[in-house]
């Protein structure tokens, strides 16, 4: 097998990305403190044509060198919006008809392997702070919670890794089966 060169991949330009059909998913970052994590979420969101990234609270916004270092320009292709709090973002998304799901370990969460996104439905997922997770008031305002089962000794994962797993789960149903 021969590795494919970048020029052979026929990737979208930023302009083409803006015009392309997006996955009906908004990723909400609730007080994500690491600019590298924010950049990584942008890059994964670009890879799967996520509709937008909402940056809330202490989450840094572009332009920032640290975001660009991991986003590699995805901060220019993926739409984003800033909110003072994630609760404000959730309220706006719900008013716009999104089903909002926090990614958190809570009572009665839906395990990710049992969750099947519904075609034609708009979703938003909330990912929390690297230490404290999603704020409780945001969990309370959400339509539900998704949980990624973990089998090791740790009870959390890096927020950008979590974003990748969650975004791929939605992409499997909403974009990749088309």
């Amino acid at each position: 097998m021969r590795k494919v060169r970048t020029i052979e991949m026929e990737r979208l330009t930023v302009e083409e990305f803006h015009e392309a059909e997006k996955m009906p998913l908004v990723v909400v970052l609730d007080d994500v403190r690491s600019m590298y994590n924010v950049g990584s979420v942008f890059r994964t969101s670009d890879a799967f044509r996520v509709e937008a990234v909402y940056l809330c609270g202490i989450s840094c916004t572009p332009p920032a060198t640290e975001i660009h270092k991991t986003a590699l320009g995805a901060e220019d292709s993926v739409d984003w919006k800033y909110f003072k709090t994630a609760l404000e973002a959730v309220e706006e998304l719900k008013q716009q008809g999104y089903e909002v799901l926090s990614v958190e370990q809570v009572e009665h969460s839906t395990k990710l392997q049992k969750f099947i996104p519904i075609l034609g439905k708009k979703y938003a997922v909330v990912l929390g702070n690297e230490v404290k997770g999603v704020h409780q008031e945001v969990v309370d305002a959400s339509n539900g919670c998704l949980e990624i089962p973990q089998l090791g000794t740790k009870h959390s994962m890096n927020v950008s890794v979590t974003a990748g797993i969650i975004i791929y789960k939605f992409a499997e149903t909403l974009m990749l089966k088309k």
Side-chain angles (χ1 to χ4, degrees):
M1 289 181 270
R2 178 183 68 84
K3 285 175 57 175
V4 179
R5 296 181 0 216
T6 303
I7 197 162
E8 296 174 284
M9 292 183 197
E10 300 179 18
R11 297 290 186 203
L12 300 175
T13 64
V14 172
E15 296 76 24
E16 291 169 332
F17 183 94
H18 285 292
E19 298 298 321
E21 177 187 6
K22 304 295 184 301
M23 180 166 42
L25 177 68
V26 173
V27 176
V28 179
L29 300 182
D30 180 8
D31 279 345
V32 172
R33 65 182 180 193
S34 166
M35 290 185 262
Y36 298 113
N37 282 335
V38 171
S40 181
V41 170
F42 268 105
R43 191 166 167 187
T44 302
S45 295
D46 174 279
F48 292 102
R49 279 199 249 148
V50 164
E51 185 178 323
V53 174
Y54 284 7
L55 305 164
C56 306
I58 66 169
S59 302
C60 187
T61 62
T65 302
E66 292 86 350
I67 290 174
H68 182 72
K69 185 172 182 173
T70 50
L72 297 177
E75 71 277 25
D76 298 324
S77 57
V78 177
D79 288 340
W80 63 272
K81 189 173 182 180
Y82 176 79
F83 291 84
K84 187 175 179 182
T85 69
L87 188 57
E88 292 173 17
V90 166
E91 289 169 354
E92 180 175 300
L93 287 160
K94 287 175 81 173
Q95 287 175 359
Q96 294 174 3
Y98 286 82
E99 179 165 328
V100 178
L101 301 168
S102 286
V103 181
E104 192 58 83
Q105 297 164 334
V106 299
E107 298 170 330
H108 311 296
S109 63
T110 300
K111 303 295 188 242
L112 191 61
Q113 71 272 22
K114 296 189 184 253
F115 175 71
I116 301 170
I118 299 168
L119 283 172
K121 197 169 192 177
K122 299 187 304 185
Y123 291 95
V125 291
V126 183
L127 302 166
N129 175 273
E130 292 89 339
V131 175
K132 297 179 181 180
V134 178
H135 284 95
Q136 184 63 53
E137 64 268 16
V138 175
V139 169
D140 293 341
S142 298
N143 297 104
C145 287
L146 296 175
E147 182 176 340
I148 301 171
Q150 297 171 52
L151 307 174
T153 62
K154 302 301 172 197
H155 299 287
S156 67
M157 290 185 284
N158 178 278
V159 66
S160 66
V161 172
T162 299
I165 293 167
I166 295 292
I167 292 169
Y168 186 80
K169 177 67 174 186
F170 280 90
E172 274 187 310
T173 301
L174 304 179
M175 293 295 281
L176 298 175
K177 290 187 178 177
K178 288 186 174 188

